[in-house]
Amino acid sequence: MYQPSRGAARRLGCCLRAYQARLQLPNLFLRSHDYNLYSSDVEFINEILNIRTKGRTWYILSLTLCRFLAWNYFAQLQLEVLRLSQHPEDWTLQARWRLVGLPTHLLFLRFYRRDKDDLYRTYDAYSTFYLNSEGLIYRHRLDKLMPSHSPPMPVKKLLVGALGALGLVEPEEEASLHLCPKS
């Protein structure tokens, strides 16, 4: 009988989890989720609500809380998966997704409008799923925006730029800091 190597089994596990996530993510707010994709000690880091949990039970409760909050805020809700990519080099699945919905308060305030297309709101988020050696998800990190690969602007330059815009710093001092990088 053929026994795949450990590396081949991990690649197969990564592909299988990507396929299962592709099927389940769009229905996250509509149907119950298959939590067998996750290890029993899964860690959930939600940077949007500042929630950190460890364990599958707490993960289920956290996702249920997120679903509850979303369904109470939106009268109509849809999750769109914009991009789902697998990265076998660091054993992660990365998903960029968007919530599109009609907020309940806007529906009540603008009930008389026939065309409600401009009332819909979108919220983008970025999830990273980390896989363990069995191919199960052991960490889910949820961020509001996609991580930036550019280094952050130092605070000093930002403050001096703001002071320069207000006219509180001499132009020579502002120019010496090279606030605007040359292209």
Side-chain angles (χ1 to χ4, degrees):
M1 176 179 234
Y2 171 72
Q3 291 292 329
S5 68
R6 186 173 189 97
R10 287 188 73 183
R11 281 192 299 277
L12 180 63
C14 186
C15 293
L16 180 63
R17 294 299 174 234
Y19 175 73
Q20 290 173 333
R22 186 177 305 276
L23 293 176
Q24 289 197 9
L25 276 177
N27 298 320
L28 181 67
F29 289 98
L30 302 175
R31 294 191 207 121
S32 88
H33 196 57
D34 180 18
Y35 294 104
N36 292 326
L37 300 172
Y38 302 91
S39 69
S40 59
D41 61 341
V42 63
E43 181 181 5
F44 182 46
I45 303 168
N46 185 338
E47 298 291 342
I48 298 172
L49 298 175
N50 292 326
I51 296 174
R52 290 177 164 256
T53 63
K54 190 154 176 95
R56 191 183 300 166
T57 305
W58 288 106
Y59 181 72
I60 293 170
L61 288 173
S62 298
L63 278 186
T64 304
L65 173 69
C66 292
R67 288 171 65 182
F68 177 76
L69 291 173
W71 275 110
N72 281 312
Y73 182 72
F74 292 110
Q76 186 178 9
L77 178 67
Q78 180 181 1
L79 186 132
E80 300 171 355
V81 178
L82 302 175
R83 186 172 52 97
L84 181 66
S85 60
Q86 56 187 2
H87 301 272
E89 63 276 359
D90 58 354
W91 301 106
T92 60
L93 297 173
Q94 296 177 353
R96 182 166 181 240
W97 48 274
R98 175 179 293 154
L99 278 178
V100 180
L102 178 62
T104 306
H105 68 280
L106 288 179
L107 181 65
F108 287 141
L109 293 173
R110 310 269 198 258
F111 67 92
Y112 54 88
R113 295 179 84 178
R114 217 176 261 267
D115 185 26
K116 295 181 176 47
D117 287 341
D118 59 335
L119 299 178
Y120 280 83
R121 301 290 185 255
T122 61
Y123 297 94
D124 288 355
Y126 188 79
S127 289
T128 305
F129 302 95
Y130 297 87
L131 302 176
N132 62 12
S133 60
E134 289 96 34
L136 297 174
I137 298 169
Y138 74 91
R139 181 182 300 144
H140 176 188
R141 182 179 182 91
L142 175 64
D143 291 307
K144 192 170 190 173
L145 297 173
M146 193 167 171
S148 174
H149 296 292
S150 62
M153 184 180 211
V155 176
K156 182 178 178 183
K157 287 185 179 181
L158 186 63
L159 288 175
V160 172
L163 291 173
L166 293 172
L168 300 175
V169 175
E170 296 297 321
E172 301 86 36
E173 294 174 23
E174 185 180 348
S176 67
L177 289 175
H178 304 291
L179 294 175
C180 299
K182 295 177 183 173
S183 300

